[in-house]
Amino acid sequence: MEIDSTFWVAVSFVIFFGVLVYLKVPQKINEILNRLIKDIKNEIDESEKLRTEAKALLDNSQKKLDKAASISNEILVQAKKDSDKLIIELNDKFHKSSEIKKTLAENKISQMKEAAIKEIKDTSIKIAVDSVKKIITTSVDKSKLDTLFQKNLNETKEELKKISS
């Protein structure tokens, strides 16, 4: 029987696998693969846990952002209301102040008018008295003077009545 090379390849193949089994290489490979699978599962679990925490943080941050936005909107609305109220209040104060100034100006004008009328009356009385004195001093005839005096006195009384009315 002649042993050809195929036989020796088969024998060496069986011996090779026998040595591998004897040295427990398949078990070691299996342990290494199981350990890698376990590590990968742990990493996947850890990453899933981190993803869940990140989602919770994102949701929390979004809620805070929404709350801050609503608070800022409320502040803006309140500020607008306050500014409108302040504008109305200042406008009312301005109109009241204008009315007070108008009233004071009208009172002052009235007082000035009354003072001018009084001054005119005083001046007209003084002119009338001066005229009467002049006429009395320049007049020679006493009866004429009495008549003129009475006439001027009556005219002055009538004018004073008209002015005081």
Side-chain angles (χ1 to χ4, degrees):
M1 154 164 173
E2 204 174 294
I3 299 179
D4 66 349
S5 62
T6 313
F7 172 74
W8 288 113
V9 169
V11 169
S12 65
F13 186 71
V14 171
I15 293 172
F16 176 72
F17 274 111
V19 169
L20 284 179
V21 171
Y22 177 75
L23 294 175
K24 299 180 182 179
V25 171
Q27 274 183 331
K28 290 181 181 177
I29 290 174
N30 192 21
E31 287 175 6
I32 291 172
L33 289 176
N34 284 339
R35 194 174 337 117
L36 287 175
I37 289 171
K38 186 178 176 185
D39 289 344
I40 290 172
K41 280 185 181 179
N42 287 339
E43 286 180 15
I44 288 173
D45 291 342
E46 185 68 26
S47 66
E48 192 66 32
K49 191 171 154 186
L50 288 174
R51 187 184 70 80
T52 306
E53 288 177 8
K55 184 162 175 32
L57 286 174
L58 178 65
D59 291 343
N60 191 17
S61 297
Q62 188 64 38
K63 286 178 186 176
K64 286 181 181 179
L65 183 63
D66 291 343
K67 185 177 179 181
S70 69
I71 289 173
S72 68
N73 285 338
E74 288 175 10
I75 290 172
L76 288 174
V77 167
Q78 186 62 37
K80 176 127 176 70
K81 286 179 183 177
D82 291 345
S83 67
D84 289 344
K85 184 189 278 186
L86 184 62
I87 288 171
I88 290 170
E89 188 177 307
L90 289 175
N91 196 13
D92 288 345
K93 284 183 181 179
F94 173 75
H95 285 297
K96 287 178 183 176
S97 173
S98 296
E99 287 296 322
I100 290 171
K101 287 179 182 178
K102 180 182 173 186
T103 305
L104 289 175
E106 288 174 351
N107 288 343
K108 191 171 185 179
I109 289 171
S110 174
Q111 289 173 354
M112 290 173 71
K113 184 178 177 182
E114 289 174 7
I117 290 172
K118 184 177 184 272
E119 186 178 333
I120 290 171
K121 284 180 183 179
D122 291 345
T123 305
S124 62
I125 290 172
K126 184 178 178 186
I127 290 172
V129 169
D130 287 344
S131 297
V132 169
K133 283 182 182 178
K134 188 176 181 183
I135 291 173
I136 290 174
T137 56
T138 57
S139 165
V140 182
D141 190 7
K142 183 163 171 84
S143 65
K144 197 175 184 185
L145 183 63
D146 286 337
T147 313
L148 188 57
F149 176 73
Q150 274 300 337
K151 182 180 173 187
N152 282 335
L153 186 63
N154 290 335
E155 285 178 8
T156 305
K157 285 182 183 178
E158 287 178 27
E159 285 298 319
L160 286 176
K161 284 181 184 177
K162 286 181 187 177
I163 291 174
S164 64
S165 299

